């Protein structure tokens, strides 16, 4: 019998910066996370996290996941909504916490890393020194994964 899985089951310890995965969080639910480099240690960026009661993407240290299994989504893709209704440029005062900033092949998001806000490139998983005020940004974006027929379907959607 043939089977299809849009990724591979592995330990969170096998993930590398720039990976996208489905991981189990404290409550037992499964969340989409992006693997980021914290300067020598890896973390999982949860776009739907909360920090001190506020909705804000949060980074958790990978070591806190105790070698748990996850579903690494190697062919996942990030798709920003670039319609004129949602795409913005420059400084805006009120943006949703999950706003995605886009420039060429860079897609960054701001997240809580400890007690400070850091900017991470979701493509490479590295800290970004991007000036987000001079980038296009959209509060609406999604992550897609391939189906068995090769077409992509939405796995998670943010904003909107």
């Amino acid at each position: 019998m043939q089977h299809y899985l849009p990724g591979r089951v592995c330990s969170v310890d096998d993930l590398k910066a720039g990976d996208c995965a489905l991981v189990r969080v404290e409550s037992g639910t499964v969340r989409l996370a992006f693997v980021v480099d914290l300067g020598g240690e890896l973390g999982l960026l949860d776009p739907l996290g909360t920090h001190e009661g506020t909705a804000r993407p949060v980074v958790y240290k990978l070591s806190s996941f105790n070698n748990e299994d996850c579903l690494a989504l190697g062919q996942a893709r990030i798709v920003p909504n670039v319609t004129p209704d949602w795409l913005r440029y420059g400084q805006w005062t009120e943006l949703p916490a999950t706003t995605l900033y886009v420039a060429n092949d860079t897609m960054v998001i701001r997240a809580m890393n400890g007690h400070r806000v850091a900017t991470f490139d979701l493509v490479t998983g590295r800290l970004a020194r991007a000036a987000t005020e001079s980038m296009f940004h959209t509060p609406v974006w999604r992550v897609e994964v391939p189906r068995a027929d090769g077409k992509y379907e939405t796995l998670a959607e943010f904003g909107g």
Side-chain angles (χ1 to χ4, degrees), residues 2-14:
Q2 293 185 8
H3 72 282
Y4 176 76
L5 191 62
R8 65 182 171 85
V9 175
C10 66
S11 163
V12 292
D13 292 342
D14 294 332

Side-chain angles (χ1 to χ4, degrees), residues 19-33:
D19 283 347
C20 177
L22 291 173
V23 296
R24 187 175 63 83
V25 293
E26 292 175 352
S27 63
T29 59
V30 174
R31 298 282 273 274
L32 178 73

